[in-house]
């Protein structure tokens, strides 16, 4: 129970550090606005079906981080999954050491990367719930975190541990350095691609924006550019007026030069 709460709290703190006011474009997440994606449901379904590792791919700013945030929110009280998310783009240490730091702080115990490595292998074969889902946002080939992913894939682990990584191109982490052979991770990983928002996702988001008095003119649902999460984030930054309850922002049906 201690490790479950420790990893969930670490994930919550990471998401909170990356969240800001809707007008602050330096933060990837707009506080109070959640891009709910079908990709999240696809990841959950594959994990429930027994997938041991999942690579979420998509071009830069496609919304991969929002999928992970959505997954973190949906599993916060889950009986099946306990999610630990780390930022691979800023990680200076490996995954085992990062987890040792999280657990060591919760247990008030000094743990080494080797301690965690041994614990993960043993815990992964446990039949108790929830399972630990190690999630790396910004998984980069050759990084210390990617090397730890590869080590876990090579050594083998049970169903009590799952791996999820988000990267621009899945092939970067699933092919070896020569580009001709597969990595050990490729043998167990399934790839999920983040697409632009579909009709249902766009409607759900416009409902959230409507609660913040940000409305689209009719016809915006036909504009392909408004299906890009990063562009919608810019729209949100422009239109947000939390201090003015009497102001409503109307977004044009097509993207103008000003935007």
């Amino acid at each position: 129970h201690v490790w479950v709460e420790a990893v969930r709290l670490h994930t919550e703190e990471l998401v909170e550090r990356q969240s800001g006011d809707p007008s602050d474009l330096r933060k990837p997440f707009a506080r109070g606005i959640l891009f709910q994606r079908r990709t999240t449901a696809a990841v959950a379904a594959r994990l429930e079906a027994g997938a041991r590792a999942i690579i979420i791919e998509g071009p830069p700013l496609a919304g991969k981080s929002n999928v992970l945030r959505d997954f973190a929110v949906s599993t916060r009280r889950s009986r099946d999954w306990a999610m630990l998310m780390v930022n691979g783009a800023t990680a200076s240490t490996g995954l085992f050491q990062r987890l040792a730091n999280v657990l060591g702080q919760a247990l008030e115990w000094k743990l080494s990367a080797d301690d965690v490595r041994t614990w993960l292998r043993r815990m992964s074969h446990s039949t108790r719930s929830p399972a630990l889902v190690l999630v790396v946002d910004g998984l980069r080939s050759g990084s210390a975190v990617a090397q730890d992913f590869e080590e876990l894939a090579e050594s083998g682990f049970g169903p009590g541990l799952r791996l999820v990584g988000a990267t621009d191109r899945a092939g970067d982490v699933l092919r070896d350095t020569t580009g001709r052979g597969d990595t050990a991770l490729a043998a167990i990983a399934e790839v999920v691609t983040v697409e632009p928002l579909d009709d249902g996702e766009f409607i759900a988001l416009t409902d959230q924006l409507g609660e913040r008095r940000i409305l689209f003119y009719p016809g915006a649902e036909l504009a392909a550019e408004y299906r890009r999460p990063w562009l919608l984030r810019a729209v949100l930054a422009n239109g947000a007026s939390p201090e003015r309850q009497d102001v409503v922002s109307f977004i044009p049906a097509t993207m103008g030069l000003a935007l």
Side-chain angles (χ1 to χ4, degrees):
H1 295 296
V2 173
W3 74 259
V4 170
E5 286 307 308
V7 300
R8 285 175 171 168
L9 180 61
H10 177 84
T11 299
E12 280 188 350
E13 291 174 346
L14 175 62
V15 170
E16 179 59 27
R17 287 197 302 271
Q18 294 182 319
S19 301
D21 185 84
S23 61
D24 186 0
L25 287 176
R26 297 172 300 174
K27 301 289 187 177
F29 305 134
R31 191 174 287 114
I33 296 292
L34 179 62
F35 285 72
Q36 296 175 314
R37 306 302 308 273
R38 296 191 193 278
T39 306
T40 308
V43 169
R46 295 196 184 202
L47 289 175
E48 290 168 2
R52 300 168 65 193
I54 297 175
I55 300 299
I56 302 172
E57 74 166 359
L61 303 176
K64 300 182 292 296
S65 296
N66 278 285
V67 170
L68 299 181
R69 178 196 183 196
D70 190 12
F71 186 68
V73 170
S74 65
T75 58
R76 181 61 182 90
R77 303 296 177 187
S78 172
R79 295 181 178 180
D80 299 320
W81 316 111
M83 172 177 166
L84 173 70
M85 181 164 68
V86 300
N87 189 341
T90 61
S92 58
T93 58
L95 192 59
F96 300 132
Q97 186 59 55
R98 298 286 286 273
L99 186 51
N101 295 341
V102 171
L103 296 181
Q105 183 178 6
L107 296 168
E108 297 183 352
W109 226 339
K110 186 175 181 179
L111 297 173
S112 69
D114 285 337
D115 293 330
V116 168
R117 186 182 280 105
T118 301
W119 173 73
L120 279 176
R121 292 196 185 105
R122 184 176 67 250
M123 185 276 297
S124 72
H125 293 284
S126 171
T127 57
R128 297 182 62 182
S129 293
L132 172 61
V133 185
L134 293 179
V135 177
V136 179
D137 186 15
L139 184 63
R140 295 181 302 174
S141 176
S143 67
V145 172
Q147 290 171 6
D148 286 349
F149 256 36
E150 185 69 7
E151 180 181 334
L152 284 169
E154 287 178 339
S155 60
F157 56 89
L161 174 64
R162 309 296 176 91
L163 307 178
V164 176
T167 185
D168 294 346
R169 293 175 297 275
D172 289 350
V173 295
L174 299 181
R175 305 289 288 182
D176 62 20
T177 55
T178 68
R180 295 190 295 271
D182 290 339
T183 63
L185 184 60
I188 62 172
E190 300 181 17
V191 178
V192 176
T193 303
V194 178
E195 304 285 353
L197 273 67
D198 62 22
D199 291 345
E201 292 168 335
F202 181 77
I203 291 172
L205 182 61
T206 55
D207 287 344
Q208 290 188 63
L209 296 182
E211 295 174 359
R212 289 179 170 265
R213 305 177 307 283
I214 301 176
L215 308 176
F216 284 90
Y217 277 111
E221 68 278 4
L222 302 178
E225 58 267 26
Y226 287 146
R227 301 303 178 96
R228 308 289 178 177
W230 67 270
L231 197 146
L232 285 170
R233 181 68 209 283
V235 169
L236 180 59
N238 267 318
S241 300
E243 70 285 352
R244 292 291 304 274
Q245 298 296 319
D246 58 337
V247 171
V248 177
S249 299
F250 287 91
I251 309 301
T254 56
M255 186 177 69
L257 288 176
L259 182 58

